[in-house]
């Protein structure tokens, strides 16, 4: 099995699964966010201490990412989801087809996750009048799940990387 991505501690994440799907097909129906996240969560949770709880938490976290992608993506190409693991830490890599404005959205949204007032900004975004900001799911991941997020612009796409620990004793 090949290994990908280095952990903060210097170990490597081992790939668990990778799925590609056409972004136009994915973005044709909001319910695909839930179906896709539930499917992947069940596939990777079988060996966790409490696999049902783990699947629910992972599905919720991935669903937030997918809802963001549903709202902000380019018009053509493949959405790729790769999940890797190192001990109790999971790494989700989403490659999302994007144009310049979508790339700028993701770079700005991830940059705003830094700072000590992130919980206040998350609450303000949740209770703001008007339509929900597209980046609120990324704020939720950082605040509620303690996730570390990063983004990399690649030709005609972004690679959004989320690392999180969902079991007690996680790092």
């Amino acid at each position: 099995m090949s290994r990908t991505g280095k952990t903060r501690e210097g170990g490597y994440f081992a790939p668990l699964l990778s799925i590609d799907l056409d972004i136009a097909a994915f973005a044709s129906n909001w319910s695909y966010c839930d179906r896709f996240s539930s499917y992947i969560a069940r596939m990777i949770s079988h060996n966790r201490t409490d696999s049902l709880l783990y699947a629910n938490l992972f599905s919720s976290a991935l669903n937030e990412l997918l809802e963001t992608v549903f709202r902000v993506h380019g018009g053509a190409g493949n959405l790729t989801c790769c999940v890797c693991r190192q001990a109790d830490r999971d790494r989700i890599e989403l490659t999302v087809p994007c144009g310049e404005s979508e790339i700028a959205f993701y770079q700005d949204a991830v940059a705003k996750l830094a700072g000590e007032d992130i919980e206040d900004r998350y609450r303000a975004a949740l209770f703001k009048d008007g339509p929900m900001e597209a980046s609120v799911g990324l704020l939720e991941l950082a605040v509620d799940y303690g996730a570390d997020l990063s983004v990399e612009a690649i030709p005609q796409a972004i690679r959004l990387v989320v690392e999180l620990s969902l079991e007690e004793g996680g790092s």
Side-chain angles (χ1 to χ4, degrees):
M1 177 180 275
S2 65
R3 294 172 178 249
T4 185
K6 218 171 187 180
T7 66
R8 290 180 293 190
E9 296 79 24
Y12 286 93
F13 286 96
L16 297 176
L17 66 84
S18 181
I19 297 176
D20 289 15
L21 62 153
D22 179 75
I23 193 69
F26 170 75
S28 68
N29 188 325
W30 178 260
S31 70
Y32 292 160
C33 299
D34 180 57
R35 292 179 186 174
F36 191 63
S37 62
S38 294
Y39 174 77
I40 290 176
R42 283 188 210 146
M43 295 295 290
I44 64 132
S45 300
H46 68 282
N47 63 349
R48 300 287 85 185
T49 303
D50 183 341
S51 62
L52 183 59
L53 175 61
Y54 198 88
N56 284 334
L57 291 172
F58 191 89
S59 177
S60 295
L62 182 56
N63 190 55
E64 292 301 327
L65 284 172
L66 294 173
E67 288 180 357
T68 302
V69 171
F70 185 88
R71 292 181 176 111
V72 183
H73 59 82
N78 281 344
L79 166 64
T80 301
C81 178
C82 179
V83 180
C84 305
R85 180 170 292 151
Q86 164 63 24
D88 63 353
R89 192 144 178 96
D90 288 333
R91 180 181 181 139
I92 303 166
E93 294 180 9
L94 292 180
T95 303
V96 183
C98 288
E100 293 297 320
S101 64
E102 293 89 9
I103 290 170
F105 163 81
Y106 283 102
Q107 290 174 327
D108 184 54
V110 170
K112 288 181 178 176
L113 298 176
E116 295 179 13
D117 63 341
I118 189 170
E119 291 180 20
D120 293 335
R121 286 186 281 130
Y122 175 50
R123 276 192 287 277
L126 280 178
F127 299 111
K128 178 181 156 193
D129 288 333
M132 187 72 71
E133 293 178 24
S135 62
V136 74
L138 303 181
L139 282 166
E140 182 174 339
L141 285 166
V143 172
D144 289 346
Y145 293 89
D148 295 322
L149 287 88
S150 63
V151 65
E152 173 189 3
I154 55 178
Q156 301 178 338
I158 58 102
R159 181 172 300 121
L160 184 61
V161 178
V162 178
E163 293 183 17
L164 66 168
S165 297
L166 298 173
E167 290 186 320
E168 284 197 29
S171 52

